[in-house]
Amino acid sequence: MKKLTVLMLCLFFANILYAQDQQAIKLTNQTTQKEFLIKENKRIIVETTDGKKFSGRFSLADNTITIDNEKLEIADIVYLKRNTLVTSTLTTGLLVYGGAVTAGFGALIGVLIQPSAFLLFIPAAGMIYAGIKSPNFHKKYKTEKDWTFEPITLSE
């Protein structure tokens, strides 16, 4: 009976710890009334009205977003974009690796078989450059296209 009581108390306290309120940003399009939620501690890219770009995990406090110890007012955001780790890592890795392999094959084939294979350096350089720039295929939520951002609290 003691074990059951201790187990129930542990589950109760675990539930209390887990059931904390979570904050998120609610993105709303004013013309189509579409809504999206981005929960706190997700990776985003933000551009402010003064042209600065910030990327990383964000946290919310009142009407400010904190990214890498930089506090940004929500009213100063020009656009907001998701930046998931999986897609950025995969696209960067595949493009840089593919460019390196293409350059390697171009050099090998150019030296051993056909000198015109050195032309493979051109797409290889493009692939490596695109991989370093890290493309992001997620949608931008721009304020000029009637998107509004507001912090909300989610209760579980």
Side-chain angles (χ1 to χ4, degrees):
M1 189 65 182
K2 287 182 184 180
K3 289 182 181 179
L4 182 62
T5 305
V6 170
L7 177 67
M8 293 302 286
L9 283 174
C10 288
L11 288 175
F12 177 72
F13 284 117
N15 187 27
I16 289 174
L17 291 175
Y18 177 73
Q20 298 291 323
D21 288 338
Q22 189 175 18
Q23 293 188 341
I25 296 177
K26 183 168 116 178
L27 313 169
T28 308
N29 190 327
Q30 298 300 318
T31 56
T32 62
Q33 296 302 317
K34 284 187 178 180
E35 293 182 351
F36 294 103
L37 286 177
I38 300 177
K39 293 182 180 178
E40 197 173 30
N41 293 324
K42 297 292 182 187
R43 293 170 48 97
I44 61 171
I45 298 174
V46 173
E47 184 176 339
T48 58
T49 53
D50 56 354
K52 293 182 181 176
K53 286 186 180 180
F54 300 96
S55 67
R57 295 187 184 274
F58 76 97
S59 62
L60 288 168
D62 298 328
N63 278 339
T64 61
I65 294 177
T66 305
I67 299 175
D68 293 334
N69 297 326
E70 294 283 334
K71 291 189 183 263
L72 310 169
E73 292 290 328
I74 290 182
D76 294 338
I77 294 175
V78 173
Y79 76 80
L80 190 139
K81 187 177 192 179
R82 284 280 310 193
N83 187 24
T84 59
L85 184 62
V86 173
T87 56
S88 63
T89 303
L90 282 178
T91 55
T92 301
L94 287 176
L95 287 172
V96 170
Y97 180 73
V101 167
T102 304
F105 277 132
L108 224 105
I109 293 171
V111 168
L112 298 176
I113 299 171
Q114 180 71 23
S116 65
F118 285 116
L119 292 175
L120 284 175
F121 282 125
I122 296 169
M127 288 174 69
I128 291 171
Y129 176 75
I132 291 171
K133 291 297 284 183
S134 185
N136 186 337
F137 302 111
H138 292 285
K139 179 181 169 121
K140 281 186 183 178
Y141 300 102
K142 297 180 180 181
T143 54
E144 66 187 31
K145 293 189 178 180
D146 291 335
W147 286 95
T148 58
F149 314 122
E150 65 177 300
I152 62 168
T153 302
L154 302 173
S155 58
E156 295 183 21

